[in-house]
Amino acid sequence: MAKYVKLKKVWKMLHDLGGCDAEPESWADGWDKAIDAAIGELYKLPAADVQEVKHGKWRQEYRSGREINKGFVSSCCDMWNERKTDYCPNCGAKMDGGKNEK
């Protein structure tokens, strides 16, 4: 499962770990140590509570190929709806025809 963290916390952590306050000739060494330390610290950050967005699009037929006379069918869960909406009322998929449509 993917782990999502807050970008501001990562940026502050990297800034605090080294390189930023070092002498100019030691910046590279400071950043090498900071990156090593950052990798260890990243695993300690709490994950954000997120869910991957499902995408779909409205169609004029079911997956079986059976066409409909009225309304629309969602490509994400094959459910009929009388009108196009921004989100599938059955499964919550974003109905924008996104590239990760299943």
Side-chain angles (χ1 to χ4, degrees), residues 33-94:
K33 291 175 186 172
I35 289 170
D36 288 342
I39 290 169
E41 293 298 314
L42 282 172
Y43 286 103
K44 296 177 186 176
L45 288 175
D49 187 16
V50 298
Q51 183 174 359
E52 188 173 342
V53 176
K54 282 178 46 177
H55 295 269
K57 60 184 171 185
W58 293 112
R59 310 178 91 155
Q60 293 292 309
E61 72 278 334
Y62 289 97
R63 289 181 193 149
S64 66
R66 186 176 136 220
E67 292 187 16
I68 58 171
N69 296 329
K70 181 179 172 187
F72 303 92
V73 176
S74 66
S75 65
C76 46
C77 62
D78 214 31
M79 294 298 290
W80 181 87
N81 198 37
E82 70 178 85
R83 63 186 175 90
K84 289 183 178 181
T85 56
D86 292 338
Y87 295 89
C88 176
N90 185 58
C91 71
K94 188 172 184 176

Side-chain angles (χ1 to χ4, degrees), residues 3-63:
K3 182 176 180 181
Y4 299 90
V5 295
K6 293 187 179 189
L7 186 58
K8 284 184 181 181
K9 285 188 176 188
V10 173
W11 176 251
K12 181 178 179 347
M13 180 186 62
L14 288 172
H15 183 273
D16 292 347
L17 283 172
C20 295
D21 297 323
E23 294 296 319
E25 60 274 0
S26 65
W27 282 351
D29 289 339
W31 278 109
D32 285 344
K33 291 175 186 172
I35 289 170
D36 288 342
I39 290 169
E41 293 298 314
L42 282 172
Y43 286 103
K44 296 177 186 176
L45 288 175
D49 187 16
V50 298
Q51 183 174 359
E52 188 173 342
V53 176
K54 282 178 46 177
H55 295 269
K57 60 184 171 185
W58 293 112
R59 310 178 91 155
Q60 293 292 309
E61 72 278 334
Y62 289 97
R63 289 181 193 149

